[in-house]
Amino acid sequence: MQVPPSLINSLAGLKGFNEEAFKRVHSSGRQVTSIRFNPAKLNGGSAATLFDGNLDGKIPWSSNGYYLTSRPSFTLDPLFHAGAYYVQEASSMFLEEAIKQMADLTKPLRILDLCAAPGGKSTLIQSVISEKSLLVSNEVIKTRVNVLTENITRWGGSNVIVTNNYPKDFQRMPEFFDLVIVDAPCSGSGLFRKDPKAINEWSEQQVEQCSRRQQSILADILPALKEGGLLIYSTCSFSKEENEEICDWFIKNYRLSSVSYQIRPEWNIIETVSPEKNAYGYRFYPDKLKGEGFFIAAFKKEKLDNEFRKEATAKGGSEKVTSKEIEVAKPWLKSGGDFFLIKHNEELFAIPIHLEKDLMVIRSVLYIKKAGVKLGTIIRDELIPAHELALSTIISPFIPAIVIDKETALQYLRRQEIKVDSDSKGWALLSHRQLNLGWIKALTNRVNNYYPKSWRILNK
Ligand code: SAM
């Protein structure tokens, strides 16, 4: 693999850049595979006992991230479909450390992951924040929202709202968020080892274009951040035009201060300062650590840009949930959770009660793709359960579950006909290694497979 010479030239002189080592690591063809476990689905077990593949040590800056010795077929692992882990590049898992170092996670926070698809950062954020906090996971490109929704659904939390909006749309909710994550679209040079085809698309003009887009995304989203709130900016590009120069531009144009991180020397992450405003940035070079190219920086919003604060207010109500419907839905939810039920197009959703007001505001100003956990539809006083409920962490442990082996799990995930041992009729969960995969309905002489068609495994 040959890195474009113009990229190499543009990196000369940057702190931490070592041309020889950089070229060597790119031509070595070495691939690093890593996954991050879902602590909400470990069921008290450890990552090592849950996962069949070979773990190759922990990722130093992540609580639940591990390297693998080789890349298995994740598609053929039922645990992946159950949301037990997410396949994520190791450097980008530093976001956990970045959030923990700068935010007070004991407080209920409103967090926005602005450029969220396919959901790597959002699932990480979900595992880091408290249940009292709200995560809004947004993706502007419509065709990418489905994969984001699937990954959020698999992760199982109830305190997430998935939206499909432009950054500018968030100006309808001024000063709403305590923390905004902008994992910006970029020229992608940091991922050349993983995706060598991206080399052909890379050009200096593309870097310039990306840099302009990054500026407009940051400018558009800043009004939605609270005064005193924090913004984390990251890219998977090595180019200073998308990293340190963006930090300079941001600080020059808005009332922001740069935030620094404590970096342990053994991590080999390089701290840089931007040329004009001395803003801190953190570079991940693949020749220095076990991960891909990544850049991260953080800012604190100092003072209001807008003197006149206009708080977003909730408009309109939701379809009424009757007390009968609440009674029908309740046994499906684990006890102790305090949920607010909402109906939309005849479907019932559960969201933590303390997030009710936030949901109403967001509903008034944004396009919501998913809110909380979809429970299902009530027909003739019976709940037809939704797939989301099966994968959620709020489902009652008393719902009947049939334990199946890996082969049957794969047949189920392919949406094929399956045979299971069950004397009782009706709805049941299928569970593999203590993790729910989805619903079946047992009839007198057959079992109906309710795995969502659009999610089914297509390869053999
Ligand atoms: N955060 C994601 C994760 O960890 O899985 C990866 C995000 S990717 C680097 C950047 C995302 O920004 C893409 O999903 C892309 O569709 C989205 N995007 C592209 N143009 C955008 C724009 N003008 N404003 C906001 N987001 C944009």
Side-chain angles (χ1 to χ4, degrees):
M1 174 195 309
Q2 218 216 338
V3 181
S6 50
L7 173 63
I8 300 275
N9 292 340
S10 73
L11 302 181
L14 280 181
K15 189 172 168 200
F17 178 65
N18 175 332
E19 183 173 334
E20 282 318 304
F22 187 85
K23 282 181 174 165
R24 212 178 313 122
V25 80
H26 279 89
S27 57
S28 71
R30 183 175 171 224
Q31 291 277 343
V32 178
T33 304
S34 47
I35 59 176
R36 184 172 39 74
F37 287 93
N38 183 349
K41 293 205 174 182
L42 281 178
N43 293 327
S46 73
T49 50
L50 185 73
F51 189 63
D52 276 339
N54 286 328
L55 302 180
D56 192 20
K58 278 200 81 183
I59 294 168
W61 43 80
S62 162
S63 317
N64 301 301
Y66 288 81
Y67 296 108
L68 302 186
T69 50
S70 57
R71 192 179 178 89
S73 167
F74 295 113
T75 310
L76 297 181
D77 182 5
L79 298 183
F80 169 75
H81 299 275
Y85 62 86
Y86 190 93
V87 184
Q88 188 174 35
E89 194 285 298
S91 301
S92 62
M93 292 185 206
F94 183 80
L95 180 64
E96 173 184 344
E97 188 64 27
I99 294 177
K100 284 182 172 169
Q101 284 195 26
M102 66 194 279
D104 180 357
L105 294 170
T106 59
K107 291 201 175 126
L109 301 173
R110 289 168 174 166
I111 299 159
L112 169 65
D113 183 11
L114 181 65
C115 313
K121 307 284 183 313
S122 277
T123 54
L124 181 151
I125 296 163
Q126 249 182 285
S127 300
V128 171
I129 62 178
S130 81
E131 282 179 11
K132 296 266 176 232
S133 294
L134 167 73
L135 170 64
V136 175
S137 180
N138 179 72
E139 169 56 42
V140 66
I141 297 181
K142 215 175 173 168
T143 50
R144 289 171 61 83
V145 185
N146 285 344
V147 64
L148 172 64
T149 307
E150 272 184 33
N151 285 325
I152 297 284
T153 299
R154 285 199 185 100
W155 217 246
S158 55
N159 54 347
V160 186
I161 297 177
V162 179
T163 57
N164 172 212
N165 283 86
Y166 290 100
K168 220 182 175 81
D169 296 342
F170 288 84
Q171 293 179 10
R172 298 177 202 142
M173 39 202 316
E175 289 207 56
F176 188 83
F177 292 100
D178 301 282
L179 174 60
V180 172
I181 319 290
V182 179
D183 187 32
C186 69
S187 62
S189 48
L191 297 183
F192 281 169
R193 286 202 306 176
K194 276 199 169 322
D195 180 16
K197 285 195 302 290
I199 295 182
N200 302 328
E201 283 155 35
W202 188 91
S203 67
E204 284 161 311
Q205 290 92 303
Q206 189 209 17
V207 169
E208 241 172 71
Q209 243 174 33
C210 286
S211 146
R212 276 197 300 274
R213 186 163 50 175
Q214 288 148 0
Q215 289 180 2
S216 93
I217 291 173
L218 288 170
D220 283 348
I221 204 59
L222 196 57
L225 180 66
K226 277 184 191 163
E227 191 176 357
L230 299 156
L231 185 144
I232 297 179
Y233 172 79
S234 61
T235 72
C236 54
S237 161
F238 292 113
S239 297
K240 58 183 184 310
E241 293 84 349
E242 299 178 79
N243 297 329
E244 288 85 356
E245 290 181 12
I246 289 289
C247 296
D248 267 343
W249 169 87
F250 204 25
I251 291 194
K252 265 197 304 202
N253 287 284
Y254 300 92
R255 290 195 169 102
L256 296 162
S257 58
S258 161
V259 177
S260 67
Y261 290 121
Q262 301 291 324
I263 300 292
R264 293 202 198 155
E266 65 271 23
W267 290 347
N268 285 330
I269 297 166
I270 302 293
E271 182 180 272
T272 64
V273 284
S274 63
E276 283 189 56
K277 293 284 176 185
N278 293 331
Y280 295 101
Y282 298 86
R283 283 183 168 263
F284 294 64
Y285 288 105
D287 50 282
K288 293 197 160 44
L289 45 76
K290 207 169 159 191
E292 303 307 312
F294 186 61
F295 175 86
I296 189 162
F299 306 88
K300 185 170 183 165
K301 184 167 167 179
E302 288 297 334
K303 201 169 177 286
L304 269 184
D305 297 302
N306 182 353
E307 288 292 309
F308 303 99
R309 292 185 213 184
K310 189 174 164 282
E311 283 215 346
T313 46
K315 290 186 207 92
S318 44
E319 293 167 50
K320 231 180 152 28
V321 179
T322 64
S323 49
K324 178 73 201 173
E325 285 168 328
I326 294 174
E327 197 188 306
V328 170
K330 230 175 161 186
W332 295 78
L333 296 175
K334 79 175 173 203
S335 59
D338 222 350
F339 297 104
F340 155 69
L341 299 190
I342 183 168
K343 210 155 89 181
H344 182 68
N345 292 339
E346 290 305 312
E347 290 179 315
L348 215 52
F349 295 79
I351 190 147
I353 198 134
H354 52 274
L355 299 181
E356 177 180 355
K357 198 169 152 243
D358 286 354
L359 173 65
M360 291 308 157
V361 170
I362 292 169
R363 249 172 63 126
S364 313
V365 293
L366 298 177
Y367 176 74
I368 292 184
K369 178 74 183 173
K370 161 179 156 68
V373 174
K374 190 198 290 182
L375 305 183
T377 316
I378 292 180
I379 298 180
R380 277 181 247 107
D381 293 345
E382 254 193 59
L383 183 79
I384 312 297
H387 187 60
E388 278 191 25
L389 175 62
L391 293 189
S392 78
T393 52
I394 64 170
I395 189 166
S396 160
F398 299 111
I399 304 291
I402 301 166
V403 176
I404 52 171
D405 60 16
K406 185 170 179 181
E407 200 179 314
T408 315
L410 287 171
Q411 283 168 354
Y412 174 71
L413 295 168
R414 291 189 172 109
R415 220 166 178 268
Q416 293 168 342
E417 263 185 40
I418 53 163
K419 287 197 171 57
V420 293
D421 288 333
S422 166
D423 296 333
S424 49
K425 305 280 158 278
W427 291 105
L429 289 163
L430 288 189
S431 148
H432 176 66
R433 299 179 71 175
Q434 295 188 52
L435 290 172
N436 295 334
L437 294 174
W439 298 105
I440 56 151
K441 194 167 187 188
L443 307 175
T444 314
N445 45 18
R446 65 167 208 279
V447 162
N448 282 349
N449 183 337
Y450 275 84
Y451 196 67
K453 201 169 173 185
S454 59
W455 285 40
R456 72 192 190 281
I457 301 178
L458 291 171
N459 69 353
K460 293 287 154 205

